[in-house]
Amino acid sequence: MYSAVRTHDYDYPESEMDERESLYFDTISLAESEAAAAAAAHRKSISQSRNTIYHSAVDLAGDEGGGLGGRLRLGGGANAEHAALAWQPGYRQSTALEHLNGGGGGGGSGDHTDAAIAAQMIALQNGRNHLPTGIGVTGDGGQGGGDDEVSRRLLRTSSNISNKDKKLPITYSQWKSRTYRRFDDGKRSVDFVLAYNGETQLEEHRRKCEIFEANLQREGLQLEHNKVQRVHFIKIHAPTEVLYRYAEILKIKVPLKPIPGQDQIFAESAHEFKTCLSRMCKSLFSSVQLNTALFPEREPRIHLEFSRNYLELYDTEHPNFLDASTRYSIINFILQRQHFVEGEETADNLGIEKLVQDGVYTCAYTLHDKDDRDRLLKEWANISKWKNLQPLDQIKDYFGAKVALYFAWLGFYTQMLIPISVFGVLCFLYGFITWSSDPISRDICNDNGTIMCPQCDRSCDYWRLNETCTSSKFNYLIDNNMTVVFAFSMAIWAVVYLEFWKRYSAGLVHRWGLTGFTHHVEHPRPQYLAKISRSKRLAGKAYEQDQTGKRTVLDPDVPFWSIKFLPNFTSYSIMILFICISVIAIAGIIIYRMAQRASHSILGSENSMTFKVMILPMTAGIIDLIVISLLDIMYSSLAVKLTNYEYCRTQTEYDESLTIKNYVFQFVNYYSSLFYIAFLKGKFVGYPAKYNRVLGFRQEECNPGGCLMELCMQLVIIMAGKQAVNAIVEMLIPYLMRTFKELSYRHGWYKSHQDQRLVPYNQFTEDYNLLPAQNNSLYVEYLEMVVQFGFITLFSLAFPLAPLLALLNNVIEVRLDAIKMLRFLRRPVGMRARDIGVWHNIMTVVTRIAVASSAMIIAFSTNLIPKIVYAASMGDPELNNYLNFTLAVFNTKDFQVQPLLGGSQHVNETVCRYTEFRNSPDDPHPYKRPMIYWKILTGRLAFIVIYQNIITMLQGILRWAVPDVSGRLLKRIKRENFLLREHIIEYEKRHAMKLVQTELNGHPKSDGELRQRNNETVIRSRDDATSFV
């Protein structure tokens, strides 16, 4: 134990004492006795005890009268007299000085400087170069010599003290290093923390806490209370025997000691992987490799489900053996399943989540590790390390496999974006290089006589085709001969990326000992058991009572149609309702665009090409982004409540149900406007004599630059805007919330009294101010990336640089997510996982939708099929008259609503052109569809069928050719399993022979009985080996 100095409290300037020093002194001194503890609990303010250590130093120095090394002195005047009076016997309580010197408070015999030096050292460590009022430092060595003496005296070990009962005063930094994230004994680590408000705790809540904590102690957990400040903390430590017991229950796999024969397996596997190409690539990209000094490469090991029967076989020194994330998950499992109501132990009154929800505890969380976190912040969560590989093994140890798999997937996805981004840039450059060779844009720019029909009924004027010269050139950048090639490449890339991710993740999962883990191993959620207990139909099946009257919670089968159907139907019905709301919002934006076309716009002249090509699409895109973001916020919170209404047995089932509901809504919310532009806009407009109308407004036509160019602009706005919004939400808001919370507790903004402030002086008080990490906290990160994946697979042919934008964003996103989890969030409880869950299935579905989407965009939004049909029908492969071929003729006297031209120069126009395939006014069937239109439509439909079938066939071949688990890894797993079974059998044989030898020495048996016992043991070992493997 530590000893501290305490005398009577005096009035002393608060500014001279640091808050952490006071808390240090309170902790190590007021815990000496029950009376002192009571005094601490009833003190009126922290400032009252903040002055203690300084006046103690004054009193102690008064008897010495010298400075450091026998030369401590007091200042003159009243201070010296006051200190001398305070040193008289009987005036003060006993101090650490008596313990140190073995004597009372008499005449100053012995060395009395240590306590005063401790007080001075605290002041020096907190940035002050002077002692409190009344204490000065002199000596032969001056101030520098005094500092050296302080350091020498404070670093003196306890071996210099002859009596074991002597207690040496310690400084704040020494005390903090021992108790920063440990119990007060400085030995046991703090694995979990519960926090509650100790000053306003209700009696009912206090009783629940007592029952809950008693149940935790019965499970073997060790608890220690910290009641120094108004927020009280309960430190929890899990002893080894508790970890062993629950590791066996949860079937956690841990690494084994080296097995004879494993080196051969590992050497052959390493030789297969270390090909000439891989060695060349490693040397070529040496600058992106991890720092092996900080993150050493780990030796491969064989993993086995933990069993206390085979404790001798496990490598307890391996970093993966019950690492920090595994320990925290075990403690969290215990916390989730302890009751807090005595005599009514039902599923509705158990678990820490229920206690936090009811306000009994303010929070429950695990602690960050300062050393590991600093290392990860320096080498991983650092923007300057953007090009370096990620330390996935260390991330797994720190956060658990579920978080590590997310960062592994994000890193793999980012790396896979590199080749398709390069190809997209090349396609874009092809458009620049062949800019001048496009016959369509060349004819548009050289045309001086083509007059186009007005784009709205009343207010719009006729316009010349050559006004769209610039926009037609930009349209060629994304609508050229490489468009189909890029779309084809994107479809193949998406399948290759997904298949290779499965192979890569299989290797990671095996390395982490999670091969064979499924959600069937998971235990039921406490919330699920609580719902069953409240159900009238299942209440009788939820419990079983034994002869002693103890009730056991069961996991009954829940029928789908009679119980699960109604919650699921209600949940998904509300989801469909919100999808309809999202579609209505998009329809409102479309009507806004129609109204802008039909009226004088406040954004500029509706007759200008700047308004038609840039202003109107950009404003509509920005409004669309705002509506999307608002609906996203509304539905995200509602989806959690809907999922809570369902019967989700395990956490994995809960996360998957929440993910599906959210993503289906987000799919419609984010992509509906893009689908409208790609497939509907400008396709059913009609013609000037008979426009199709919605609510009296003409349907939108494609902009003069074409619908593909508008799709490109909308994609860039929504994709880039969403990434910017997410960056603000993920980084700025957590930072502001954490800062506000820290300031609120530090300055007592939540309370009116000064003593309500929360001072962060160790790890659990520092982490208390961080934002909580929810079980589904990765949902937002996954959703952001999967929505981005949809953007680049569904619509990137409209903007080949979209993969490049995604790549640049993701390079920063990896580091920002790491910074957020290490700096702004509490450490999440580690969870096991073997893959990224339902997100892989979602991306597979998106990939298949993208094939049909690309085929339809190419067929209906580009000029590919009309060019092919024109060249084949007209015999003009150079497309010299193609522009005139795409423009129909209209007689202005046939307008339904004559435009109000006013002083326009086009008042006397008799003929105008519009983009359609229709007969001329002089034809016997004016304005009807000509035969060439039906040929083009047939060509478009044929292209969709052929393109989709070819791509689908190639994707199927790739999925078949690339297995989920590589042949090398599969062969290694089989060999490891065989080696493991044989090793366990040999171990059981040796164990059986020891038992036999023991029985022979103690109680001799017949040879037949011994052989039978040996055979039974071997058979049992084989069964155990099979079940474990």
Side-chain angles (χ1 to χ4, degrees):
M1 291 294 295
Y2 312 127
S3 178
V5 181
R6 179 180 179 86
T7 61
H8 294 290
D9 295 316
Y10 300 94
D11 293 332
Y12 196 79
E14 242 181 66
S15 60
E16 294 293 332
M17 172 65 81
D18 187 87
E19 294 170 329
R20 294 176 176 83
E21 300 163 15
S22 170
L23 293 170
Y24 138 75
F25 189 83
D26 294 339
T27 302
I28 64 175
S29 62
L30 298 182
E32 293 289 331
S33 64
E34 294 182 1
H42 293 88
R43 72 177 188 268
K44 294 182 179 180
S45 66
I46 288 179
S47 60
Q48 184 178 3
S49 63
R50 298 170 80 185
N51 312 321
T52 302
I53 193 167
Y54 289 97
H55 292 292
S56 301
V58 170
D59 293 342
L60 291 171
D63 185 61
E64 181 67 26
L68 290 174
R71 299 291 297 166
L72 270 171
R73 62 176 177 79
L74 286 173
N79 287 334
E81 296 177 2
H82 180 76
L85 177 64
W87 187 254
Q88 297 301 318
Y91 180 78
R92 58 178 177 81
Q93 302 173 6
S94 61
T95 68
L97 192 61
E98 286 93 355
H99 295 289
L100 184 67
N101 296 298
S109 60
D111 185 4
H112 300 283
T113 61
D114 281 310
I117 292 174
Q120 183 196 19
M121 190 60 181
I122 293 173
L124 295 174
Q125 289 172 339
N126 285 277
R128 295 186 291 272
N129 56 7
H130 63 279
L131 283 172
T133 305
I135 299 180
V137 179
T138 62
D140 298 336
Q143 184 65 40
D147 292 343
D148 294 338
E149 178 66 14
V150 169
S151 301
R152 184 183 69 79
R153 301 295 299 274
L154 289 176
L155 293 176
R156 184 177 61 185
T157 61
S158 60
S159 60
N160 299 114
I161 304 174
S162 58
N163 192 342
K164 295 182 180 180
D165 295 332
K166 294 177 181 178
K167 301 179 181 180
L168 180 67
I170 63 170
T171 64
Y172 164 69
S173 62
Q174 293 173 316
W175 166 74
K176 180 178 177 180
S177 66
R178 291 175 171 87
T179 61
Y180 190 67
R181 65 188 313 273
R182 295 183 178 275
F183 279 33
D184 287 344
D185 58 13
K187 299 178 180 179
R188 293 171 293 172
S189 63
V190 179
D191 296 325
F192 224 96
V193 171
L194 309 179
Y196 63 95
N197 194 324
E199 297 184 357
T200 60
Q201 190 179 29
L202 301 176
E203 180 63 27
E204 178 186 0
H205 290 178
R206 186 188 63 79
R207 180 58 182 162
K208 289 182 178 180
C209 287
E210 291 177 354
I211 297 173
F212 184 73
E213 293 163 17
N215 289 333
L216 293 180
Q217 291 176 326
R218 276 195 289 269
E219 288 290 337
L221 298 180
Q222 298 176 0
L223 277 61
E224 184 176 82
H225 289 260
N226 180 288
K227 300 181 179 180
V228 176
Q229 306 187 69
R230 73 171 184 86
V231 178
H232 294 180
F233 299 92
I234 301 173
K235 297 178 280 187
I236 301 176
H237 172 74
T240 304
E241 56 271 15
V242 175
L243 297 176
Y244 285 174
R245 184 170 71 250
Y246 276 93
E248 186 171 0
I249 293 173
L250 298 176
K251 302 182 182 300
I252 296 174
K253 285 188 176 183
V254 293
L256 294 171
K257 294 177 180 177
I259 299 176
Q262 73 173 24
D263 292 339
Q264 180 183 358
I265 299 176
F266 297 153
E268 292 177 359
S269 300
H271 178 72
E272 291 176 354
F273 282 107
K274 291 181 180 178
T275 61
C276 180
L277 179 62
S278 64
R279 288 194 296 268
M280 183 180 67
C281 291
K282 188 172 183 179
S283 61
L284 184 64
F285 297 102
S286 58
S287 62
V288 305
Q289 301 298 320
L290 290 173
N291 186 348
T292 54
L294 296 175
F295 305 109
E297 186 176 354
R298 294 182 178 174
E299 298 180 0
R301 289 295 172 86
I302 297 177
H303 290 74
L304 175 68
E305 283 185 6
F306 185 84
S307 173
R308 285 171 288 182
N309 294 332
Y310 303 121
L311 190 58
E312 300 176 8
L313 302 180
Y314 302 114
D315 186 1
T316 57
E317 301 300 325
H318 195 276
N320 273 4
F321 182 82
L322 299 181
D323 53 31
S325 63
T326 304
R327 293 201 312 271
Y328 300 156
S329 66
I330 290 175
I331 299 174
N332 184 67
F333 180 83
I334 298 174
L335 293 175
Q336 294 287 359
R337 284 156 178 81
Q338 299 306 312
H339 291 274
F340 51 82
V341 176
E342 193 172 8
E344 300 180 10
E345 297 180 351
T346 64
D348 201 25
N349 55 42
L350 85 164
I352 186 63
E353 287 189 11
K354 179 66 174 174
L355 288 172
V356 173
Q357 182 181 350
D358 293 343
V360 179
Y361 293 105
T362 57
C363 58
Y365 54 95
T366 61
L367 298 183
H368 284 285
D369 184 273
K370 186 178 186 301
D371 295 335
D372 292 341
R373 180 165 67 169
D374 290 345
R375 183 165 60 251
L376 290 172
L377 282 170
K378 179 181 178 182
E379 297 293 329
W380 174 51
N382 190 338
I383 301 295
S384 63
K385 303 290 183 179
W386 62 269
K387 67 179 187 301
N388 289 35
L389 298 177
Q390 301 183 83
L392 296 177
D393 291 335
Q394 286 72 22
I395 296 172
K396 183 263 177 185
D397 295 343
Y398 196 86
F399 290 116
K402 188 173 183 179
V403 175
L405 276 174
Y406 163 72
F407 282 104
W409 168 76
L410 181 55
F412 183 85
Y413 169 51
T414 303
Q415 293 172 3
M416 288 295 293
L417 282 172
I418 295 175
I420 197 64
S421 299
V422 172
F423 187 70
V425 171
L426 294 177
C427 292
F428 202 74
L429 291 176
Y430 171 83
F432 271 110
I433 295 172
T434 60
W435 187 312
S436 60
S437 64
D438 178 38
I440 300 177
S441 59
R442 184 176 62 246
D443 292 347
I444 291 175
C445 294
N446 295 333
D447 183 90
N448 292 320
T450 302
I451 304 299
M452 303 297 293
C453 297
Q455 290 190 310
C456 62
D457 289 334
R458 288 284 187 181
S459 305
C460 296
D461 196 359
Y462 298 95
W463 53 282
R464 294 186 179 276
L465 181 61
N466 59 5
E467 294 177 12
T468 63
C469 174
T470 303
S471 62
S472 65
K473 289 183 177 181
F474 279 108
N475 185 69
Y476 176 74
L477 294 176
I478 56 178
D479 184 6
N480 51 56
N481 296 331
M482 293 297 292
T483 302
V484 178
V485 179
F486 182 74
F488 179 86
S489 302
M490 279 298 307
I492 300 301
W493 171 87
V495 175
V496 171
Y497 148 67
L498 291 176
E499 294 304 312
F500 275 89
W501 159 249
K502 287 192 290 187
R503 289 168 63 91
Y504 175 70
S505 64
L508 281 178
V509 167
H510 182 70
R511 191 169 78 201
W512 295 337
L514 293 170
T515 301
F517 173 77
T518 64
H519 68 276
H520 300 293
V521 179
E522 293 185 70
H523 287 250
R525 297 168 56 244
Q527 298 87 344
Y528 168 79
L529 298 176
K531 285 182 67 69
I532 291 178
S533 66
R534 291 193 297 267
S535 175
K536 296 180 180 179
R537 298 181 181 180
L538 298 174
K541 302 178 181 179
Y543 302 98
E544 185 177 272
Q545 195 167 1
D546 57 16
Q547 296 178 353
T548 61
K550 185 178 180 180
R551 302 175 70 185
T552 303
V553 179
L554 302 178
D555 181 17
D557 177 61
V558 180
F560 176 79
W561 291 107
S562 59
I563 295 181
K564 289 186 176 181
F565 173 75
L566 182 59
N568 289 359
F569 178 78
T570 304
S571 178
Y572 284 95
S573 297
I574 296 177
M575 179 194 74
I576 294 174
L577 174 62
F578 264 78
I579 289 175
C580 294
I581 294 175
S582 177
V583 172
I584 293 172
I586 300 300
I589 296 174
I590 294 171
I591 294 175
Y592 156 79
R593 294 154 65 111
M594 295 179 183
Q596 285 292 317
R597 292 282 191 186
S599 63
H600 289 281
S601 173
I602 62 173
L603 302 173
S605 173
E606 67 279 358
N607 289 320
S608 67
M609 283 300 108
T610 302
F611 173 79
K612 294 176 182 179
V613 178
M614 300 293 292
I615 301 296
L616 183 58
M618 288 180 63
T619 55
I622 294 172
I623 294 173
D624 191 18
L625 177 63
I626 295 173
V627 172
I628 286 172
S629 301
L630 293 177
L631 289 175
D632 186 7
I633 295 172
M634 292 172 57
Y635 183 77
S636 296
S637 58
L638 178 63
V640 176
K641 297 180 180 179
L642 295 177
T643 309
N644 291 336
Y645 184 53
E646 300 174 4
Y647 286 84
C648 298
R649 181 178 177 274
T650 64
Q651 187 64 42
T652 299
E653 293 178 4
Y654 179 88
D655 292 341
E656 289 183 354
S657 178
L658 178 63
T659 298
I660 291 173
K661 281 195 291 293
N662 270 292
Y663 185 76
V664 171
F665 172 77
Q666 301 298 350
F667 185 91
V668 176
N669 196 29
Y670 279 103
Y671 302 146
S672 55
S673 62
L674 299 175
F675 277 121
Y676 164 74
I677 296 173
F679 305 136
L680 297 178
K681 185 178 180 181
K683 305 301 186 295
F684 310 100
V685 177
Y687 57 99
K690 188 181 180 181
Y691 283 117
N692 298 321
R693 301 179 183 273
V694 176
L695 299 178
F697 299 111
R698 278 172 48 179
Q699 290 190 29
E700 287 188 289
E701 301 178 41
C702 289
N703 289 325
C707 278
L708 195 63
M709 184 175 178
E710 186 173 352
L711 178 63
C712 171
M713 295 175 59
Q714 191 87 349
L715 174 65
V716 172
I717 291 172
I718 295 179
M719 184 176 175
K722 179 181 180 300
Q723 292 174 351
V725 170
N726 287 335
I728 294 174
V729 171
E730 290 183 6
M731 297 302 299
L732 182 60
I733 293 180
Y735 172 77
L736 294 177
M737 292 178 64
R738 188 194 70 170
T739 304
F740 177 76
K741 190 175 182 180
E742 288 179 349
L743 293 175
S744 299
Y745 282 115
R746 187 180 294 274
H747 297 286
W749 293 348
Y750 286 156
K751 299 288 183 177
S752 58
H753 302 291
Q754 190 78 2
D755 61 339
Q756 301 300 318
R757 295 181 291 180
L758 179 65
V759 182
Y761 66 101
N762 52 27
Q763 190 66 66
F764 53 85
T765 50
E766 290 177 2
D767 289 359
Y768 181 82
N769 291 325
L770 300 178
L771 299 178
Q774 303 295 336
N775 289 334
N776 59 343
S777 60
L778 290 176
Y779 160 76
V780 177
E781 286 76 14
Y782 272 117
L783 178 64
E784 178 184 355
M785 292 296 104
V786 175
V787 169
Q788 181 199 87
F789 176 78
F791 281 134
I792 66 175
T793 53
L794 293 169
F795 307 106
S796 64
L797 64 89
F799 185 54
L801 297 182
L804 179 62
L805 291 181
L807 173 63
L808 297 176
N809 173 80
N810 292 1
V811 167
I812 306 300
E813 183 72 21
V814 174
R815 309 300 164 175
L816 291 182
D817 284 346
I819 293 172
K820 180 182 69 174
M821 297 197 70
L822 288 170
R823 288 191 180 276
F824 302 139
L825 297 182
R826 294 172 187 154
R827 188 172 181 173
V829 176
M831 298 179 65
R832 289 180 289 173
R834 65 171 183 174
D835 51 33
I836 59 175
V838 73
W839 293 108
H840 187 275
N841 299 332
I842 289 175
M843 286 187 289
T844 301
V845 173
V846 170
T847 300
R848 293 176 177 173
I849 296 175
V851 176
S853 171
S854 300
M856 296 179 67
I857 291 175
I858 294 173
F860 290 99
S861 297
T862 69
N863 292 313
L864 175 66
I865 304 302
K867 285 179 180 179
I868 295 175
V869 174
Y870 170 80
S873 302
M874 305 299 178
D876 182 14
E878 300 298 328
L879 305 178
N880 293 321
N881 197 37
Y882 175 76
L883 178 62
N884 185 63
F885 169 75
T886 60
L887 299 177
V889 179
F890 181 76
N891 194 327
T892 58
K893 68 177 183 180
D894 295 330
F895 271 122
Q896 289 180 330
V897 180
Q898 291 292 333
L900 300 177
L901 301 178
S904 172
Q905 60 179 343
H906 302 292
V907 174
N908 298 321
E909 294 291 341
T910 59
V911 174
C912 63
R913 309 293 294 270
Y914 61 100
T915 306
E916 258 290 11
F917 295 101
R918 290 186 179 270
N919 294 328
S920 66
D922 301 330
D923 192 89
H925 304 284
Y927 307 125
K928 298 299 183 181
R929 297 290 189 185
M931 183 57 64
I932 194 67
Y933 168 81
W934 301 108
K935 290 181 179 180
I936 293 174
L937 180 60
T938 303
R940 284 170 168 167
L941 296 178
F943 173 82
I944 292 174
V945 174
I946 295 172
Y947 179 89
Q948 188 167 355
N949 280 277
I950 291 176
I951 296 296
T952 303
M953 181 183 66
L954 292 176
Q955 289 180 341
I957 293 174
L958 285 172
R959 291 189 179 98
W960 170 80
V962 183
D964 296 349
V965 182
S966 67
R968 287 191 292 261
L969 179 59
L970 195 59
K971 182 173 64 175
R972 174 178 167 177
I973 292 174
K974 291 179 180 179
R975 296 178 64 186
E976 288 180 358
N977 287 343
F978 172 78
L979 194 65
L980 182 56
R981 285 193 295 267
E982 293 300 317
H983 184 63
I984 294 177
I985 291 172
E986 289 298 324
Y987 173 79
E988 288 285 357
K989 284 182 180 180
R990 294 194 302 270
H991 184 66
M993 293 303 296
K994 290 181 181 179
L995 292 178
V996 170
Q997 189 65 33
T998 303
E999 291 181 355
L1000 286 175
N1001 295 335
H1003 303 283
K1005 295 183 181 291
S1006 64
D1007 293 341
E1009 291 177 345
L1010 293 177
R1011 283 194 298 270
Q1012 182 180 359
R1013 174 75 60 84
N1014 195 14
N1015 292 335
E1016 290 176 354
T1017 303
V1018 172
I1019 292 173
R1020 180 174 63 84
S1021 69
R1022 288 174 179 168
D1023 294 339
D1024 289 347
T1026 303
S1027 63
F1028 278 108
V1029 176

